[in-house]
Amino acid sequence: MECSIMQERQTLQITCPDCGCNQMSRPDDFHFDTNFVDVFCGDCGREIFKDDVISQATNTVKKQIDDMFRNTFKGGGFKLK
C-alpha cells in the first residue's frame, strides 16, 4: 500500500509491522483521511491501523533528516548520535 504524505505528495511504501509484507488489502471506498478501516496485511492478515502508517512515515522522515544532517556536516568534525 502506498500513501501520499505532505504537500509534495511523496510516496511511502507501507509494510506490515509483524511480517514486513508490503501487500495490503483494503476496501474500494478506502480513503486515508476519512475512511481508514478494514486494511489488512495480504500475507499474515494483521489489521493495519492508521497509527501504524503514521509511525512508519515518522520514522522514515526522521531517518531522512538524520541523513541530511550527516551529509551536511560530513567532514566538519560534528557527529550525530
Side-chain angles (χ1 to χ4, degrees):
M1 179 171 77
E2 295 182 358
C3 293
S4 295
I5 40 181
M6 300 172 56
Q7 290 180 335
E8 288 185 18
R9 305 293 265 168
Q10 294 182 3
T11 301
L12 173 69
Q13 186 72 36
I14 303 302
T15 59
C16 174
D18 288 348
C19 73
C21 177
N22 62 5
Q23 300 298 314
M24 304 294 155
S25 66
R26 60 184 178 168
D28 291 337
D29 62 345
F30 170 85
H31 187 273
F32 185 81
D33 291 324
T34 60
N35 192 33
F36 199 105
V37 295
D38 298 328
V39 179
F40 296 93
C41 173
D43 188 41
C44 72
R46 179 194 190 274
E47 186 170 6
I48 305 299
F49 298 100
K50 191 173 185 178
D51 287 345
D52 295 323
V53 176
I54 292 170
S55 175
Q56 286 185 31
T58 301
N59 290 339
T60 299
V61 169
K62 284 179 181 178
K63 183 184 178 317
Q64 290 173 344
I65 291 170
D66 285 350
D67 290 345
M68 182 183 67
F69 279 127
R70 278 189 186 88
N71 289 336
T72 300
F73 295 113
K74 190 180 285 184
F78 296 100
K79 290 187 180 184
L80 290 176
K81 291 184 178 185

